Amino acid sequence: MKKAFVIGHPIKHSRSPLIHGSWIAEHGIDGSYEAIDVAPENLPAFMERLRAGEFVGGNVTIPHKEAVFAVCDSVDPLARTIGAVNTLVRLPDGRIHGFNTDYMGFLGNLDQNAPGWDGGAAPALVLGAGGAARAILVALQSRSIPIILLNRTRATADRLASELGGDIIIGALDEVNSAAPLAELVVNTTSIGMHGTRFEDFDLDVLRPETLVTDIVYVPLVTPLLADARARGLRTVDGLGMLLHQALPGFEAWFGVRPEVTPGLRAKVEATL
Ligand code: NAP
């Protein structure tokens, strides 16, 4: 039987077992996917279990996403650029390869729910410059989309843009109303939206009518930003699809089957939010 895992500390809240467990059942795979609580001091010992062949691979979440760099035998260059590994694969010779699927999740979500979203020439407006923003900037750059990056702490955005290079215009979050009319895509990567919080000073009336608004916060599923955008007739995509789509490449690598993000799977996960 092929066994996979998600490790984190804590890990109880993870929806990954539900996602992967559904695909295992759907495809009749002789496999399992379990959530395992691994404290930081126990990470090296856990990686030895993976190396020894107990598992085919798994996912890595907080607080291990950066620490696993040191224990992987090889790391995908894009995961290095993003600065985090979220997926591990045990190779047949026991070596461990790490990669990052968050940027694929972001792209897969928009490709599925807003086809053609990347066809225009206007910049994407990215709000926030934290850990998740890194993967999203890499994703947008992979589609050659120019970026305006605004962050509450402007220096953090400056640092991130100079690390990534490319076509990124930087600003502070309080410049949002002058930057927003230029964009055809608005992406919230800040934690604003969790617990119903909203961008108090963002006037969505300045947006072009064709603008797509997406939020990577998915609890609540319809954040105040998405609700305000919908109320103005703008297209929106919520953040749950990113969580579902980021799981695909790992599953395929471990179990040899490319599953699908179906409305049924989405409904199952949505019911747990
Ligand atoms: P993070 O590294 O802590 O970054 C947080 C970002 O939010 C920073 O840019 C921070 O700005 C900004 N921020 C926080 N509070 C703010 C406030 N009151 N006003 C303005 N800006 C504020 O967090 P993260 O890992 O990037 O995660 C961000 C969110 O994305 C979380 O809600 C997480 O659950 C969600 N997420 C979703 C997915 C998915 O699959 N859908 C994947 C990853 C993350 P400063 O630099 O000024 O502090």
Side-chain angles (χ1 to χ4, degrees):
M1 174 162 101
K2 289 179 172 178
K3 289 170 60 180
F5 58 79
V6 55
I7 54 168
H9 184 68
I11 196 61
K12 270 205 310 277
H13 62 281
S14 174
R15 279 146 186 121
S16 294
L18 175 59
I19 298 170
H20 290 282
S22 299
W23 285 334
I24 287 171
E26 187 183 322
H27 292 279
I29 290 168
D30 181 21
S32 68
Y33 183 101
E34 59 181 313
I36 304 176
D37 195 309
V38 175
E41 62 275 20
N42 296 329
L43 182 64
F46 183 82
M47 294 295 274
E48 282 315 308
R49 288 170 62 188
L50 173 58
R51 223 178 275 283
E54 185 178 338
F55 302 98
V56 288
N59 289 122
V60 178
T61 188
I62 294 165
H64 303 308
K65 282 186 176 190
E66 291 85 25
V68 287
F69 273 96
V71 276
C72 280
D73 300 299
S74 61
V75 173
D76 179 73
L78 273 181
R80 269 194 203 288
T81 305
I82 294 167
V85 162
N86 72 348
T87 306
L88 302 173
V89 175
R90 180 189 182 275
L91 302 174
D93 62 3
R95 284 181 307 126
I96 298 170
H97 181 66
F99 54 107
N100 186 303
T101 64
D102 282 336
Y103 79 98
M104 303 178 212
F106 176 75
L107 294 175
N109 186 29
L110 293 191
D111 287 344
Q112 184 176 49
N113 295 302
W117 67 275
D118 56 350
L125 174 61
V126 177
L127 307 175
R134 298 181 74 100
I136 283 158
L137 295 178
V138 167
L140 292 169
Q141 288 184 330
S142 77
R143 299 282 175 98
S144 306
I145 296 171
I147 295 161
I148 303 172
L149 175 64
L150 305 183
N151 195 44
R152 177 179 60 180
T153 312
R154 194 196 149 120
T156 311
D158 272 328
R159 226 175 8 254
L160 178 55
S162 63
E163 268 179 49
L164 294 180
D167 189 2
I168 305 180
I169 296 168
I170 309 300
L173 200 52
D174 57 16
E175 296 169 72
V176 67
N177 291 329
S178 51
L182 305 173
E184 270 175 10
L185 171 68
V186 174
V187 187
N188 175 41
T189 79
T190 74
S191 30
I192 295 179
M194 293 172 77
H195 316 296
T197 51
R198 62 176 359 106
F199 290 92
E200 296 296 348
D201 301 321
F202 186 0
D203 176 8
L204 271 70
D205 288 333
V206 304
L207 290 170
R208 304 180 194 189
E210 69 273 22
T211 305
L212 172 66
V213 179
T214 186
D215 202 324
I216 70 162
V217 172
Y218 58 88
V219 184
L221 194 57
V222 181
T223 60
L225 174 67
L226 294 183
D228 291 349
R230 285 181 190 178
R232 286 165 175 79
L234 299 170
R235 285 186 304 157
T236 62
V237 174
D238 65 54
L240 180 57
M242 177 175 168
L243 178 77
L244 300 170
H245 279 272
Q246 65 77 31
L248 288 170
F251 190 90
E252 188 176 14
W254 308 319
F255 299 116
V257 175
R258 177 93 180 166
E260 269 183 57
V261 174
T262 58
L265 175 66
R266 193 188 144 88
K268 257 195 213 176
V269 179
E270 198 179 322
T272 70
L273 299 182

